[in-house]
Amino acid sequence: MTGTRILVLNSGSSSVKYQLLDMRDESRLAVGLVERIGEQTSRLRHTPLAGGETREFNGPIADHDAALKAVAEELSKDGLGLDSPELAAIGHRVVHGGMFFTEPTVIDDEVIAEIERLIPVAPLHNPANLTGIRTARALRPDLPQVAVFDTAFHTTMPEAAARYAIDPKIADRHRIRRYGFHGTSHAYVSRATAKLLGKSPGEVNVIVLHLGNGASASAVRGGVCVDTSMGLTPLEGLVMGTRSGDLDPAVIFHLARVGGMSMDEIDTLLNKRSGLFGLCGDNDMREIRRRIDEGDQQAELAFDIYIHRLKKYIGAYYAVLGTVDAVAFTAGVGENAAPVRQAAVEGLAGLGLAVDEELNAVRGDEPRLISPPGARVAVAVVPTDEELEIATQTYALVGKNNN
């Protein structure tokens, strides 16, 4: 392998996020986003990070093929084109890998076929991920393409954590089990937390709280995931921006039988019109906190429900792990919302959990401790870097295959 650059692609149904990294020093060479693909109002925003200015294109971009060709053109303007011998591989984020994919995988026709077979359990994500993969392979058929799966980090969960209490024959026939998501973030943050503590990942037990518009928790024992809050889909677990999280399954039957709602209507309700948005009309934690400060009781109730669920998972994963070295907050809310971090551990001093008010108020881009000095359990803020994690796994795999 002569090249040291990795292009990371995250293809959504109408968007492509991308970053180009040089793995010699893990520096970013360019970042960008193409959004509203297939519309007349498409937009490409590209930023070279070696002193160049952000460039923006507004206008129709017909499909992912056109989007990736536009990305390649922008990279070429900076001398970073897809034809560069410095480009070692393209790493693709793939949301659902089921139990088949437990680690990053070089993409071939068989891998694509298996990702396709998983579409029924990831109908919103895997088709878009596949579109990006097929387009990138067409543009650079000679270049290694690697799939890095959101679910892979969680495939180490024991059966007691991964299985639902339903007929195993039915479960296996329909691939029903708890897969978990945000795996690249949980993997990165658990390792970065160990480094912050001056230890190796194998020496620490960490509860990772990935709190963004989508939110998930994980229990990581010695660098290995043993439980996580999301399940068959990203709907299970914590209260999220627009998703309900944990729910009595009979609510669905009730809404269908008594409420007269269709399955599609219930799906939309639970995934897009629930969570914080469903409770108070806002899914931006900054706006919710502003409303609370103004005395808005609906916003305060939404916040309280969010924190109550979060605190339950902290306690549950403390019990799963037995001993905990650190609780790490990450992602948009976890990294930036000091009131969320304060409220989440409030009253948990008996478990060794507390935050220092002044340390908690500090903002920054580096991993940092916010627990009082000498605390039995470290509480940390660890900014996630899923793109770097995908690039790292891609580069390691391509290098291994070329040795």
Side-chain angles (χ1 to χ4, degrees):
M1 180 172 62
T2 58
T4 59
R5 295 174 184 169
I6 299 294
L7 177 63
V8 175
L9 293 179
N10 182 354
S11 300
S13 58
S14 62
S15 67
V16 175
K17 297 178 184 177
Y18 63 93
Q19 290 194 15
L20 181 66
L21 299 93
D22 190 328
M23 300 312 293
R24 287 176 296 186
D25 56 4
E26 299 183 347
S27 61
R28 283 168 175 76
L29 302 177
V31 302
L33 169 67
V34 188
E35 54 188 342
R36 298 192 291 273
I37 294 171
E39 301 180 20
Q40 292 297 309
T41 56
S42 306
R43 182 176 76 161
L44 188 159
R45 186 176 177 86
H46 174 88
T47 304
L49 297 181
E53 293 186 359
T54 296
R55 301 190 294 270
E56 189 169 308
F57 167 81
N58 291 278
I61 297 177
D63 50 30
H64 282 71
D65 182 61
L68 281 184
K69 286 178 179 176
V71 169
E73 184 177 338
E74 291 301 319
L75 289 168
S76 293
K77 292 177 183 177
D78 304 313
L80 305 169
L82 297 190
D83 58 350
S84 169
E86 287 296 309
L87 187 61
I90 298 177
H92 297 265
R93 180 198 180 209
V94 180
V95 168
H96 215 310
M99 291 302 293
F100 190 84
F101 298 109
T102 61
E103 56 189 17
T105 305
V106 174
I107 297 169
D108 57 21
D109 291 343
E110 183 181 343
V111 169
I112 287 177
E114 182 62 25
I115 296 172
E116 282 184 324
R117 283 192 283 270
L118 287 163
I119 286 175
V121 291
L124 300 178
H125 299 97
N126 276 27
N129 301 154
L130 281 167
T131 299
I133 288 170
R134 290 191 173 104
T135 303
R137 290 182 85 201
L139 288 175
R140 281 297 308 269
D142 59 312
L143 196 68
Q145 313 255 343
V146 174
V148 178
F149 299 91
D150 272 14
T151 50
F153 183 63
H154 305 304
T155 58
T156 55
M157 286 192 294
E159 287 292 277
R163 285 279 186 179
Y164 292 109
I166 65 174
D167 185 330
K169 292 181 181 178
I170 294 175
D172 291 345
R173 185 183 313 142
H174 299 289
R175 303 192 185 203
I176 298 172
R177 62 186 291 121
R178 301 184 62 251
Y179 293 101
F181 299 88
H182 296 144
T184 51
S185 177
H186 287 280
Y188 177 87
V189 171
S190 60
R191 287 201 314 273
T193 303
K195 183 178 179 181
L196 181 64
L197 300 180
K199 299 180 179 181
S200 71
E203 295 178 293
V204 298
N205 291 351
V206 184
I207 297 172
V208 178
L209 303 172
H210 177 108
L211 308 179
N213 192 50
S216 59
S218 67
V220 182
R221 176 182 293 123
V224 176
C225 178
V226 295
D227 207 347
T228 193
S229 57
M230 286 179 168
L232 173 71
T233 76
L235 182 58
E236 188 180 355
L238 302 175
V239 175
M240 304 175 222
T242 64
R243 299 182 193 129
S244 65
D246 291 340
L247 189 78
D248 180 350
V251 170
I252 296 170
F253 312 147
H254 185 81
L255 291 173
R257 293 167 180 161
V258 179
M261 295 177 68
S262 69
M263 285 297 107
D264 286 345
E265 288 172 330
I266 296 171
D267 190 319
T268 298
L269 171 69
L270 299 182
N271 276 292
K272 298 180 179 180
R273 304 193 60 81
S274 294
L276 292 170
F277 178 79
L279 288 166
C280 71
D282 272 310
N283 61 328
D284 187 320
M285 187 59 72
R286 293 165 296 187
E287 182 64 16
I288 290 171
R289 290 304 309 178
R290 184 194 65 77
R291 287 172 55 184
I292 291 172
D293 291 341
E294 294 178 355
D296 187 316
Q297 293 185 350
Q298 199 64 33
E300 185 171 4
L301 176 60
F303 183 81
D304 289 346
I305 293 171
Y306 180 95
I307 295 298
H308 181 79
R309 184 83 54 82
L310 182 57
K311 192 173 292 190
K312 282 175 65 175
Y313 268 91
I314 293 173
Y317 287 171
Y318 206 117
V320 166
L321 292 170
T323 60
V324 175
D325 298 287
V327 174
F329 290 87
T330 194
V333 175
E335 294 170 28
N336 297 298
V340 168
R341 299 190 296 259
Q342 174 75 45
V345 302
E346 189 173 353
L348 300 182
L351 299 179
L353 290 166
V355 298
D356 180 284
E357 188 172 343
E358 291 186 7
L359 293 175
N360 191 36
V362 173
R363 298 178 69 92
D365 297 327
E366 297 298 320
R368 61 195 185 277
L369 295 176
I370 60 172
S371 45
R376 190 165 88 241
V377 177
V379 180
V381 178
V382 180
T384 192
D385 197 332
E386 294 175 87
E387 290 78 16
L388 176 57
E389 180 69 19
I390 292 170
T392 299
Q393 293 189 27
T394 298
Y395 190 65
L397 178 60
V398 172
K400 182 172 65 176
N401 286 352
N402 286 343
N403 287 335

